[in-house]
């Protein structure tokens, strides 16, 4: 049986978007709302065709690189110092799947502030207009009080967005937003339970044809979104997929079905997007509540994949990988009469991989221990006897495939992590620029600033980065060490500025501010030099 799909692109987009909304239940439909706002702004700005489609895809998937423990609702959306690590992680994931390539470039920079146009470029690339639109849409959704009708907040929300025009937000995007939000329907749509249908009504998504290799790319994107959250799980799905495909081949499955089982193996843990990393990485025994959270993941795997036309079988195999022949599995409690053979192959591959790979609480087990445990599972009707016999007869070959798959996945994981470290530098620079703008607003009486973050060189966004990831990743670079002196000098100057401001000596405060710019230029110059050297070092390691 060949696996060739011709489906609307939005099926892939919003199945993945649904998975992202599971990360934080308080953010339900967040990605749909951001997609809707971005779509309306794009219409007002005259953005059309593929550019508009890429923008809506990016808005619907903008948090694809964030981890559950990193997503914090409004605080996340409003952080002017939003790290670029998550967006760049999302960029690297999305560009693996060809239909998402354009959206990937938008996601890459969606946390950058406009900063009076100074962030129009970053990381030797031009920041797409779409990134600034998604930034605005994401910020807006973070401002909304979900306990009140959004229509009642419209005036206040528009005023808050308008105050950030040119500093945090792109002026053209703000103007377009204020235009489209001037009617009630815009706000009522945001509150609608049928928001996805409203989005689909306003735009026609492309149809895409995917062969088996295209489906594999999509499956690997989803698998890495889950597995790369931790070095302990970074290679798990790749190993399960390779093991399951090998077992299926040894059992005489047709080649196309072996590939489909491999794809199911990549996708089997997708539902773990709804499980906090603290549960998945916990070195000790889970408590009852944590265990219930972990048990839910195959259910969510099934619910995320089942709506995609053509993936119903794969959704079922993936969603059944914790079912047991005796009927004691989860989440559906099925028994031998309802568990497909493909799901049984996948279930055994998952158990085998879990026993043989290193976990936070133990090293991987050797052959005799693995087979002893699995033999007892066969006796208890927890795994299929026939699949187990194939593993026993071909243990060395299956284990060799499992190890090779994990070694390949480990290399890709290390490459991912290498690239992410460099990205924090752009985030640090953006944080500094945004901080300087907030200081100007403070002097103009347009908003308070937390005193400790103004006068302490350790408590501002740049200081926290410097004494954390900065020293950790770049302490060997001379310009990084040179950064602390001007940064300390800057905050000492700000301390004096604050004293003048709070004592009513406005002219003295302004004279202090005039000295901020040359020090700030030195800091930005050092950050640029650090970024350049770090990028060159990363490229050399990859060569």
């Amino acid at each position: 049986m060949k696996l060739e799909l011709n489906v609307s692109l939005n099926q892939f987009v919003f199945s993945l978007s649904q998975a992202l909304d599971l990360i934080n239940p308080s953010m339900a439909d967040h990605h749909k709302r951001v997609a809707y706002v971005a779509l309306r702004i794009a219409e007002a700005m005259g953005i059309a065709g593929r550019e508009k489609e890429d923008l809506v895809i990016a808005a619907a998937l903008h948090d694809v690189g964030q981890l559950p423990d990193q997503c914090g609702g409004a605080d996340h959306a409003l952080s002017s110092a939003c790290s670029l690590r998550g967006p760049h992680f999302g960029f690297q994931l999305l560009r693996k799947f060809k239909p998402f390539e354009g959206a990937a470039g938008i996601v890459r920079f969606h946390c950058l502030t406009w900063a009076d146009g100074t962030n129009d470029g970053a990381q030797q690339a031009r920041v797409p207009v779409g990134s600034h639109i998604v930034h605005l849409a994401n910020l807006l959704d973070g401002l909304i009080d979900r306990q009140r009708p959004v229509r009642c907040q419209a005036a206040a929300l528009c005023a808050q967005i308008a105050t950030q025009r040119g500093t945090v937000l792109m002026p053209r995007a703000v103007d377009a937003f204020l235009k489209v939000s001037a009617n009630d329907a815009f706000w009522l749509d945001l509150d609608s339970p049928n928001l996805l249908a409203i989005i689909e009504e306003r735009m026609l998504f492309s149809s895409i044809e995917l062969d088996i290799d295209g489906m594999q790319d999509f499956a690997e994107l989803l698998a890495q979104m889950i597995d790369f959250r931790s070095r302990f799980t970074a290679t798990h799905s790749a190993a399960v997929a390779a093991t399951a495909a090998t077992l299926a081949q040894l059992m005489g499955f047709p080649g196309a079905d072996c590939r489909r089982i491999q794809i199911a193996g990549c996708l089997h843990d997708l539902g773990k997007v709804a499980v906090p990393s603290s549960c998945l990485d916990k070195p000790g025994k889970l408590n009852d509540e944590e265990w219930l959270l972990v048990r839910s993941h195959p259910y969510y795997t099934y619910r995320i994949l089942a709506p995609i036309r053509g993936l119903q079988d794969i959704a079922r195999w993936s969603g059944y990988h914790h079912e047991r022949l005796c009927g004691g599995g989860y989440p559906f409690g099925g028994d031998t009469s309802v568990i497909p053979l493909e799901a049984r192959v996948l279930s055994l591959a998952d158990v085998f991989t879990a026993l043989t790979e290193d976990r936070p609480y133990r090293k991987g087990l050797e052959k005799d221990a693995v087979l002893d445990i699995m033999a007892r599972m066969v006796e208890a009707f927890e795994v299929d006897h026939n699949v187990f016999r194939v593993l026993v007869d071909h243990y060395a070959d299956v284990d060799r495939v499992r190890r090779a798959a994990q070694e390949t996945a480990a290399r890709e994981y290390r490459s991912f992590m290498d690239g992410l470290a460099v990205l924090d530098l752009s985030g640090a620079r953006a944080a500094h620029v945004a901080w300087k703008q907030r200081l100007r607003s403070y002097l103009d009486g347009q908003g308070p600033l937390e005193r400790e973050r103004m006068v302490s060189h350790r408590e501002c966004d740049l200081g926290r980065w410097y004494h954390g990831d900065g020293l950790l990743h770049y302490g060997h670079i001379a310009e990084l060490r040179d950064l602390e002196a001007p940064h300390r000098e800057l905050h000492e100057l700000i301390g004096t500025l604050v004293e003048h401001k709070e004592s009513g000596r406005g002219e003295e405060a302004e004279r202090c501010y005039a000295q901020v710019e040359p020090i700030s230029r030195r800091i930005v110059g050092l950050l640029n030099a650090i970024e350049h050297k770090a990028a060159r070092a990363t490229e050399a390691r990859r060569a």
Side-chain angles (χ1 to χ4, degrees), residues 458-507:
R458 286 179 171 267
E459 293 302 318
C460 72
D461 295 324
L462 178 58
R464 290 178 178 177
W465 171 83
Y466 179 89
H467 292 283
D469 284 346
L471 287 173
L472 177 64
H473 294 298
Y474 312 115
H476 62 285
I477 297 177
E479 285 82 357
L480 189 283
R481 299 192 297 274
D482 292 341
L483 183 63
E484 184 168 22
H487 190 223
R488 184 193 297 271
E489 178 186 354
L490 178 66
H491 280 275
E492 289 173 353
L493 177 64
I494 298 308
T496 304
L497 181 154
V498 170
E499 289 179 9
H500 289 318
K501 171 71 174 174
E502 294 181 352
S503 299
R505 298 188 294 272
E507 290 184 5

